[in-house]
Amino acid sequence: MAWQDELITITRELVGDVEAPYTFTDNRLEYVLCVAAQFVNTEVDFDTVYTIDVDATTISPDPTSSRDDLFISLVSLKAACILYRASLRTYASSEGVRIKDGMGEIEVKGKFAAFKDMAQSFCEAYQKAKLEYAMGNFASVKAIFNVASGPNINNYDSHRGFYR
Protein backbone atom coordinates (compact mmCIF):
# COMPACT_ATOMS: atom_id res chain seq x y z
CA MET A 1 0.00 0.00 0.00
CA ALA A 2 3.09 2.25 -0.12
CA TRP A 3 2.52 3.94 -3.49
CA GLN A 4 -1.02 4.87 -2.48
CA ASP A 5 0.19 6.62 0.68
CA GLU A 6 2.90 8.67 -1.01
CA LEU A 7 1.15 9.53 -4.27
CA ILE A 8 -2.10 10.44 -2.51
CA THR A 9 -0.18 12.77 -0.18
CA ILE A 10 1.69 14.41 -3.07
CA THR A 11 -1.49 14.84 -5.12
CA ARG A 12 -3.37 16.28 -2.15
CA GLU A 13 -0.59 18.85 -1.72
CA LEU A 14 -0.66 19.76 -5.40
CA VAL A 15 -4.41 20.38 -5.47
CA GLY A 16 -4.55 21.99 -2.02
CA ASP A 17 -6.78 19.31 -0.48
CA VAL A 18 -4.76 18.92 2.71
CA GLU A 19 -7.18 19.59 5.55
CA ALA A 20 -10.23 17.65 6.65
CA PRO A 21 -12.90 17.56 5.50
CA TYR A 22 -11.22 16.53 2.27
CA THR A 23 -12.75 17.32 -1.11
CA PHE A 24 -11.48 14.03 -2.53
CA THR A 25 -11.61 10.67 -0.76
CA ASP A 26 -8.55 8.47 -0.71
CA ASN A 27 -10.40 5.96 -2.91
CA ARG A 28 -11.14 8.66 -5.50
CA LEU A 29 -7.52 9.80 -5.51
CA GLU A 30 -6.26 6.23 -5.78
CA TYR A 31 -8.48 5.66 -8.81
CA VAL A 32 -7.42 8.95 -10.46
CA LEU A 33 -3.77 8.13 -9.80
CA CYS A 34 -4.18 4.79 -11.59
CA VAL A 35 -5.85 6.52 -14.54
CA ALA A 36 -3.02 9.08 -14.59
CA ALA A 37 -0.43 6.29 -14.36
CA GLN A 38 -2.04 4.57 -17.34
CA PHE A 39 -1.70 7.72 -19.44
CA VAL A 40 1.83 8.46 -18.26
CA ASN A 41 2.91 4.88 -18.86
CA THR A 42 1.83 5.09 -22.51
CA GLU A 43 3.39 8.53 -23.07
CA VAL A 44 6.81 8.08 -21.43
CA ASP A 45 9.35 5.31 -21.89
CA PHE A 46 10.55 4.34 -18.40
CA ASP A 47 13.41 2.04 -17.52
CA THR A 48 10.98 0.04 -15.39
CA VAL A 49 7.99 -1.64 -17.05
CA TYR A 50 4.91 -0.76 -15.02
CA THR A 51 1.67 -2.71 -15.09
CA ILE A 52 -1.37 -0.63 -14.25
CA ASP A 53 -4.78 -2.14 -13.55
CA VAL A 54 -7.27 0.70 -13.23
CA ASP A 55 -10.18 -1.59 -12.22
CA ALA A 56 -8.19 -3.18 -9.40
CA THR A 57 -6.37 0.14 -8.66
CA THR A 58 -2.93 -1.44 -8.74
CA ILE A 59 0.44 -0.28 -9.99
CA SER A 60 3.23 -2.82 -10.06
CA PRO A 61 6.02 -2.79 -9.32
CA ASP A 62 5.57 -0.17 -6.60
CA PRO A 63 7.31 3.02 -7.87
CA THR A 64 7.92 4.21 -4.31
CA SER A 65 9.87 1.13 -3.27
CA SER A 66 12.29 1.51 -6.18
CA ARG A 67 12.23 5.35 -5.84
CA ASP A 68 11.26 6.12 -9.41
CA ASP A 69 10.90 9.83 -8.75
CA LEU A 70 10.17 10.63 -12.38
CA PHE A 71 7.21 8.25 -12.49
CA ILE A 72 5.95 9.53 -9.13
CA SER A 73 6.26 13.17 -10.24
CA LEU A 74 4.64 12.73 -13.62
CA VAL A 75 1.76 10.64 -12.29
CA SER A 76 1.06 13.18 -9.53
CA LEU A 77 1.05 16.10 -11.98
CA LYS A 78 -1.17 14.21 -14.42
CA ALA A 79 -3.58 13.32 -11.59
CA ALA A 80 -3.78 17.00 -10.54
CA CYS A 81 -4.50 17.93 -14.16
CA ILE A 82 -7.27 15.30 -14.37
CA LEU A 83 -8.83 16.41 -11.06
CA TYR A 84 -8.94 20.08 -12.03
CA ARG A 85 -10.33 19.32 -15.48
CA ALA A 86 -13.09 17.26 -13.86
CA SER A 87 -13.88 20.16 -11.52
CA LEU A 88 -14.18 22.45 -14.54
CA ARG A 89 -17.23 20.55 -15.79
CA THR A 90 -18.98 21.06 -12.46
CA TYR A 91 -18.29 24.77 -12.30
CA ALA A 92 -18.96 25.35 -16.00
CA SER A 93 -22.50 24.03 -15.62
CA SER A 94 -23.23 26.07 -12.50
CA GLU A 95 -21.25 29.27 -13.03
CA GLY A 96 -20.40 29.65 -16.69
CA VAL A 97 -22.97 32.36 -17.38
CA ARG A 98 -22.67 35.23 -19.84
CA ILE A 99 -25.49 37.63 -20.63
CA LYS A 100 -25.18 40.33 -23.27
CA ASP A 101 -28.00 42.82 -23.76
CA GLY A 102 -27.57 45.92 -25.87
CA MET A 103 -24.98 48.10 -24.15
CA GLY A 104 -24.53 45.94 -21.06
CA GLU A 105 -22.85 42.65 -20.40
CA ILE A 106 -22.81 40.40 -17.34
CA GLU A 107 -20.24 37.66 -16.98
CA VAL A 108 -20.17 35.35 -13.97
CA LYS A 109 -16.99 33.33 -13.68
CA GLY A 110 -16.53 32.62 -9.99
CA LYS A 111 -14.63 29.42 -9.33
CA PHE A 112 -14.80 28.36 -12.97
CA ALA A 113 -12.13 30.83 -14.09
CA ALA A 114 -9.87 29.96 -11.18
CA PHE A 115 -10.23 26.21 -11.76
CA LYS A 116 -9.61 26.72 -15.47
CA ASP A 117 -6.35 28.50 -14.70
CA MET A 118 -5.26 25.84 -12.21
CA ALA A 119 -6.11 22.98 -14.59
CA GLN A 120 -4.15 24.68 -17.33
CA SER A 121 -1.14 25.23 -15.08
CA PHE A 122 -1.02 21.59 -13.91
CA CYS A 123 -1.51 20.25 -17.43
CA GLU A 124 1.21 22.55 -18.76
CA ALA A 125 3.56 21.55 -15.92
CA TYR A 126 2.99 17.90 -16.78
CA GLN A 127 3.69 18.50 -20.49
CA LYS A 128 6.81 20.51 -19.66
CA ALA A 129 8.13 17.82 -17.30
CA LYS A 130 7.49 15.12 -19.88
CA LEU A 131 9.30 17.13 -22.56
CA GLU A 132 12.23 17.89 -20.27
CA TYR A 133 12.60 14.19 -19.46
CA ALA A 134 12.42 13.27 -23.15
CA MET A 135 15.24 15.75 -23.75
CA GLY A 136 17.31 14.08 -21.01
CA ASN A 137 16.96 16.75 -18.35
CA PHE A 138 15.50 15.04 -15.26
CA ALA A 139 16.85 17.72 -12.89
CA SER A 140 14.44 20.28 -14.32
CA VAL A 141 11.51 17.91 -13.74
CA LYS A 142 12.22 18.14 -10.01
CA ALA A 143 12.08 21.95 -10.20
CA ILE A 144 8.53 21.98 -11.56
CA PHE A 145 7.06 21.31 -8.10
CA ASN A 146 6.68 24.80 -6.67
CA VAL A 147 4.28 26.92 -4.64
CA ALA A 148 0.82 26.81 -6.18
CA SER A 149 -2.05 29.12 -5.47
CA GLY A 150 -5.63 29.14 -6.51
CA PRO A 151 -9.17 29.15 -5.22
CA ASN A 152 -9.41 27.92 -1.66
CA ILE A 153 -5.65 27.28 -1.55
CA ASN A 154 -3.66 29.09 1.10
CA ASN A 155 -0.07 27.97 0.88
CA TYR A 156 1.20 30.15 3.71
CA ASP A 157 1.27 28.26 6.99
CA SER A 158 1.13 31.04 9.60
CA HIS A 159 1.66 28.57 12.45
CA ARG A 160 4.97 27.41 11.02
CA GLY A 161 5.95 30.67 9.27
CA PHE A 162 6.61 29.28 5.79
CA TYR A 163 4.94 28.41 2.52
CA ARG A 164 3.90 24.80 1.95
Side-chain angles (χ1 to χ4, degrees):
M1 194 82 175
W3 73 262
Q4 291 93 330
D5 295 335
E6 187 169 337
L7 269 71
I8 286 173
T9 300
I10 292 169
T11 304
R12 278 196 191 285
E13 281 294 329
L14 286 172
V15 300
D17 189 22
V18 293
E19 294 180 11
Y22 297 120
T23 303
F24 305 107
T25 66
D26 284 353
N27 288 343
R28 170 81 171 126
L29 290 176
E30 193 174 320
Y31 178 76
V32 170
L33 285 161
C34 282
V35 170
Q38 182 67 37
F39 281 109
V40 171
N41 203 34
T42 61
E43 296 173 2
V44 179
D45 186 25
F46 295 101
D47 293 336
T48 304
V49 176
Y50 289 100
T51 303
I52 293 102
D53 186 339
V54 175
D55 291 333
T57 59
T58 60
I59 300 173
S60 60
D62 184 343
T64 60
S65 63
S66 62
R67 293 311 316 155
D68 190 344
D69 290 332
L70 176 67
F71 185 85
I72 292 167
S73 300
L74 289 175
V75 168
S76 299
L77 283 170
K78 186 70 169 180
C81 174
I82 290 169
L83 288 168
Y84 270 98
R85 282 187 171 179
S87 296
L88 279 178
R89 287 190 291 274
T90 302
Y91 292 116
S93 64
S94 65
E95 295 186 25
V97 177
R98 184 179 194 154
I99 301 170
K100 194 171 186 177
D101 183 18
M103 299 289 291
E105 183 175 331
I106 298 173
E107 187 171 350
V108 179
K109 291 184 179 180
K111 289 184 178 181
F112 176 78
F115 272 89
K116 181 181 175 207
D117 291 343
M118 291 302 292
Q120 184 176 354
S121 70
F122 282 119
C123 296
E124 287 175 358
Y126 167 76
Q127 292 298 334
K128 181 178 179 185
K130 189 174 75 167
L131 179 64
E132 291 287 340
Y133 174 70
M135 293 173 27
N137 191 2
F138 180 61
S140 65
V141 173
K142 292 180 180 180
I144 289 177
F145 288 100
N146 60 9
V147 176
S149 62
N152 305 322
I153 298 174
N154 181 4
N155 287 309
Y156 187 74
D157 190 336
S158 59
H159 299 293
R160 294 185 184 112
F162 61 87
Y163 283 91
R164 294 187 259 160

